[in-house]
Amino acid sequence: SKGFEMEATAQLTEEVGLRAAYGHTHARYDDFVDTVMGAVYTGNDLPFAPRHSLSAGVNFTRELDMGTTLKAGLDYTFRSSYAFTSDNKYRQDPTHLVDAHIGIEKDGWSASLWAKNLTDERYLKNYFSYNGTDMGVAAPGRTIGLTLAKVW
């Protein structure tokens, strides 16, 4: 396996910050022969190793009245296609995920409304074959929640 990762952050103003990351992976079997099953996987991609991964996000923070802070953010994640199995027969298509959050903080208390997978991207989290039956495990669809917390 070989590859590289790059990350960057920028604080545009006191209130607005950006971040981005990119990863490139070249992960293949140099020599893999399954003598029990009589299969040759040499040259195939390693499972769960996308060639490209990218993430980007923006955060917004504003001080409001009486010590209250407003925080919001938007995040994007991309993963290129990757194999689920050593034979590379089953692959996950590229995925694009968007998450967001907005909340307030004051005196160690916080309340945040968040959403994951806003575009309701349909993709598999995992795949396996059980007794010759192909089975996929779906990743969660759009999820929305509210988190209340207190820092002690």
Side-chain angles (χ1 to χ4, degrees), residues 9 15 31-33 46 58-59 61 63 74 76 83 95 112 121 129 137:
T9 60
E15 296 178 337
D31 183 20
F32 181 13
V33 178
L46 267 64
V58 59
N59 282 328
T61 303
E63 297 296 325
L74 185 66
Y76 168 76
T95 55
S112 180
E121 179 95 0
S129 182
V137 179

Side-chain angles (χ1 to χ4, degrees), residues 89-145:
K89 185 176 178 183
Y90 301 97
R91 299 188 68 85
Q92 172 56 55
D93 289 336
T95 55
H96 304 266
L97 301 176
V98 178
D99 300 339
H101 68 274
I102 187 167
I104 56 171
E105 296 179 356
K106 182 177 179 172
D107 299 329
W109 287 93
S110 66
S112 180
L113 177 64
W114 51 265
K116 296 192 177 288
N117 193 3
L118 270 171
T119 59
D120 202 23
E121 179 95 0
R122 304 295 173 132
Y123 66 103
L124 292 180
K125 181 177 172 180
N126 204 341
Y127 161 86
F128 57 95
S129 182
Y130 182 72
N131 287 336
T133 301
D134 297 329
M135 298 184 155
V137 179
R142 181 182 305 116
T143 307
I144 299 172

